Amino acid sequence: MITLPIQGMTCASCAGRVEKALKKLPGVSEASVNLAAEIATVQAGAEVTTANLTDAIVKAGYEVPLASTELNVEGMTCASCSGRVEKALKKVPGVLSASVNLATNQAVVRHVASVDLPAQLRVAVQAAGYGARLVHDAAPADARFWTEGRQVAAAALLSAPLVLPMLGDLLGRHWMLPALWQFLLAAPVQFIFGARFFKAGWAALRAGSANMDVLVALGTAAAFGLSLAMWWREPDGMPHLYFESAAVVITLVRFGKWMEARAKHRTLAALDALQALRPTTALVRRGGVDTELPVSELQLGDLVVVRPGQRIAVDGEVVEGESHADESLITGESLPVARSPGDKVTGGAVNAEGLLIVRTTALGAETQIARIVRLVASAQGAKAPIQQQVDKVAAVFVPAVLVIALLTLLGWLWQGAEWPTALIHAVSVLVIACPCALGLATPATLMVASGLAAKRGILVRDASALERLRDVRVVAFDKTGTLTEGKPRLLACEPPGGGDARAVLAQAAALQAGSEHPLARAVLQFAARRWDETSATSPSAATGTRAVPGKGVLGQVQYHGQSHWLALGHGRWMAELGVNCAPLQASADAHQRKGLTVSWLAAVPAPGGSTGDATLPALLGLLAFGDTARPQAAATVAELAQQGIASVLISGDNPGAAHHLAEAVGITRVHAEVRPETKAALVAELKAALPVGQAVAMVGDGINDAPALAAADVGMAMTHADGGTDIAMHSAGLTLLRGDPWSVVEAHSLAIATGRKIRQNLFWAFAYNALGLPLAALGHLSPVIAGAAMAMSSVCVVGNALWLSRWRPPHRPDALPGEALSPGERRYLAEAVNARPDG
């Protein structure tokens, strides 16, 4: 995927023309242009280069802002080295050309203007086997001497004397300037400050389309040309000229575009805030010496020293020290989180009271902030389904306005009006039409909404998910890690017939050594504490270990000099293996009624063969695990119910544990022992049961939830303190960074507010044109008034979108253990805490 910034687009038809130009290129499979963000996103084959895409955009009459970056390259020794570096740089998306000079050890790269590209270039050179340091970033190639604001101010100063006679008429005074003075004041506005409309309009016509620039250029040129003709016919008289119409329309349109640009810049404030979190330097410990270096020069594995109060410069893992990290600007979580050796930290978070030594695990584009910025930018550049419908209307809007203007001209002439009168009314029609408001109504709102979501720790990966979320009537929750903390503890370890519980624990720990499964970590953590307390030697890890999807784990364990094949998993698998679980079934049932999860440990024959041992398979014991409900789980379910949204629990856990949790948090519909491959089918059933237009959302956190997240109308991936599962995050339209179910309520509230604001904007955009065009055609609006109305229409749409920033999330109840929990949650927590492992 290649993302390109674009300059010069003024309305939705511009965006449509760029899309068509890009899609015509061989190898381009998909192209999407966002008018509000002024970017194009292209999916293309390897044969399509950034230069091809840039040329297509330029030929369509628009510009791609460019920049150049210089790198000092280290380690080159011959011409083949420089050639290899050049190839590596040219493969980076967004690069147009790269030139490497072996004599000076420098590389000069021309690329599209992007804050992330210089860091990506350095990483590409390092991946090719060489060192690289940034020399400097050149200014954008198309920087202008005059800012847009100065040009608008100059045009306004020249146009003001032309407007004074209109004010004089209201006071009964005749302040009309001589024709020559009118011409001298209007000509610079028409041909200097209005030149952009003529150039862009001509480029659009050459490409076989029309846009807002065509309307402004035709309208002002007609008014200016009519004034010249009338002046030529009466050089010594005082004919009624329309120089002021041409000049004032151009000034007002330029002013409107300047205001619109300022408003659109504010919509990117959340993205700018995320960008600002990136520290530029870090204190690096190398060889026992602490040195402050630019972050761009850090390498993976570097040890970074973070003092109290400093912002953490890199993503990494704590290797020394204990502290709290304030991640509020990244996750939206207001409370600092504890961090100690082995915990992961995120670049941009603020270290609180302790000194931390952090090992760097991600740099540049791979850091969490960079990934968040890309996701937010992608969401802001994406098109919602409603916007795709609006684009179809905008594509025929300008041609329709041209037809209306022509009919207006012919109609007034047919009614006996003189040419100047008929032409001025046609000019009013051309000037008042505004496809910009239609094109900005949806994307401007989505830009604000995605920024607000990011501040609350909600990442919008798919714009259509935010639009669809307001139609959700059923939310399906995963259990472990979503409604519960996702950190189960081993609460019981029981052998049959009063056997040795320590042997069961030791063999289970050996079988799961090295596993990252939550239940495995619970076993290993408890076993490690037990061995520390007893000074016992931990058994060696199992060999031949393999996970059996949806069932458990199988491996060969050495214990007390004997080798056994062991299986650890749920009851259904034990039944398939022929294991008799009756000796411990009553105990297992009791644990499951308390909401605990039971796993069975059994000795089994070797895979693919038989040992000839008649005692196999044999039950060795059971392990019971408990998990606690997240503090906001019950409040989330209750709030959703208040909004008419039903909650469903879908869990791979046993029915006892699933129903116990469901009762604690207030869910009545429960599906237990659901395998990963059937979760998606269950979501499809929930969708099929709803009326047309209503939607199903799925909230999950693991790899096994990915199919269901993709199958739902809206998928929400929940992350934890340890990070999220990438597969789940990529399968979901929304990512909940806080790991808090209440984020579902906040996301739904924001989706409703966003949908309301989009509908308001579209209503006013359509209503403005539906009302303004007939008034202009009937002669009730002068070109000056029409130009002012057109200039302010898009400003009003963007301004209305900015009002969305006043949205506030629903009040989140602060649930503390034993204080603000529901009765069901208190009972669930108490039973889990009171349970104790046997043996």
Side-chain angles (χ1 to χ4, degrees), residues 515-673:
S515 173
E516 291 300 317
H517 192 280
L519 297 184
R521 287 201 295 266
V523 171
L524 295 171
Q525 289 170 0
F526 184 84
R529 290 196 300 270
R530 180 57 57 90
W531 291 322
D532 288 342
E533 294 170 0
T534 61
S535 300
T537 303
S538 60
S540 58
T543 58
T545 305
R546 64 188 186 197
V548 182
K551 296 181 179 180
V553 63
L554 182 69
Q556 190 172 17
V557 173
Q558 292 282 345
Y559 188 70
H560 286 179
Q562 295 183 346
S563 177
H564 305 277
W565 278 93
L566 303 181
L568 180 65
H570 57 60
R572 292 194 312 274
W573 190 32
M574 294 296 113
E576 293 175 11
L577 295 173
V579 178
N580 179 19
C581 298
L584 291 174
Q585 191 62 54
S587 180
D589 292 342
H591 288 311
Q592 290 174 344
R593 283 194 296 271
K594 294 180 180 179
L596 303 186
T597 298
V598 174
S599 291
W600 302 85
L601 181 67
V604 296
S610 175
T611 62
D613 189 344
T615 62
L616 298 181
L619 178 65
L620 298 181
L622 69 76
L623 294 90
F625 302 88
D627 193 5
T628 56
R630 289 185 182 272
Q632 301 295 336
T636 298
V637 173
E639 180 64 25
L640 292 175
Q642 286 284 335
Q643 299 176 24
I645 299 174
S647 297
V648 178
L649 180 63
I650 299 179
S651 174
D653 214 336
N654 64 78
H659 281 89
H660 196 78
L661 174 68
E663 181 186 355
V665 300
I667 295 178
T668 57
R669 298 171 62 184
V670 181
H671 298 271
E673 294 186 334

Side-chain angles (χ1 to χ4, degrees), residues 474-478 646-650 683 686 696-700:
V474 175
V475 177
F477 287 97
D478 174 49
S647 297
V648 178
L649 180 63
I650 299 179
V683 168
L686 293 173
V696 172
M698 173 71 193
V699 188

